[in-house]
Amino acid sequence: MVQVVGLGLVAGAVLLVVRQHRPELALLLSLAAGAVIFIAMVSRVMAVVEALQTLGARAKVDGAYMSTVLKIMGIAYLADFGGQVLADAGEKAVASKVEMAGKVLILLLAIPVLMAILDALLKLIG
């Protein structure tokens, strides 16, 4: 985490200077810094995914549900990342639409899980 924060601080300082003289270059540098940080986190995210899969297997959770949860996590992170990049580029209207699309996709993916939970509750009650 220290490396990520360090990279973010260095990128932020460089961007402050570059943005004053070459705003178009600052956007590219910001995108590059964001991509580097995102790539640096992929291995850590994969560790979380593996841990969740292990927990799901130990708890005997249906693989389809675990897959859905992982897809939801991926959509949430990608929508947030895309929205932040667009907001940094000054496209706040488009950023909010990307984030809204992510929420809609998450809701669609969650419906089968919610139905399974309701079915389980109805079986317990009835």
Side-chain angles (χ1 to χ4, degrees):
M1 189 63 200
V2 173
Q3 293 170 337
V4 172
V5 172
L7 175 63
L9 291 174
V10 169
V14 169
L15 285 168
L16 282 175
V17 174
V18 172
R19 189 168 283 128
Q20 293 174 356
H21 303 289
R22 305 264 321 262
E24 68 283 356
L25 184 59
L27 176 60
L28 292 175
L29 287 172
S30 176
L31 288 173
V36 168
I37 291 170
F38 185 77
I39 291 168
M41 291 293 103
V42 168
S43 65
R44 287 163 178 89
V45 170
M46 291 309 296
V48 171
V49 168
E50 290 172 7
L52 287 174
Q53 287 175 331
T54 301
L55 286 173
R58 288 179 59 194
K60 296 183 174 95
V61 174
D62 186 354
Y65 297 130
M66 287 305 296
S67 175
T68 300
V69 168
L70 295 174
K71 286 177 187 176
I72 287 171
M73 287 175 48
I75 290 169
Y77 282 119
L78 286 174
D80 184 57
F81 182 74
Q84 288 180 16
V85 168
L86 286 163
D88 288 346
E91 297 296 332
K92 291 182 181 176
V94 178
S96 66
K97 304 312 182 278
V98 167
E99 291 170 354
M100 183 194 64
K103 291 172 186 174
V104 169
L105 289 174
I106 287 170
L107 182 60
L108 286 173
L109 285 173
I111 289 173
V113 175
L114 292 173
M115 294 300 292
I117 292 169
L118 288 174
D119 286 342
L121 287 174
L122 289 173
K123 286 179 185 175
L124 287 174
I125 294 171

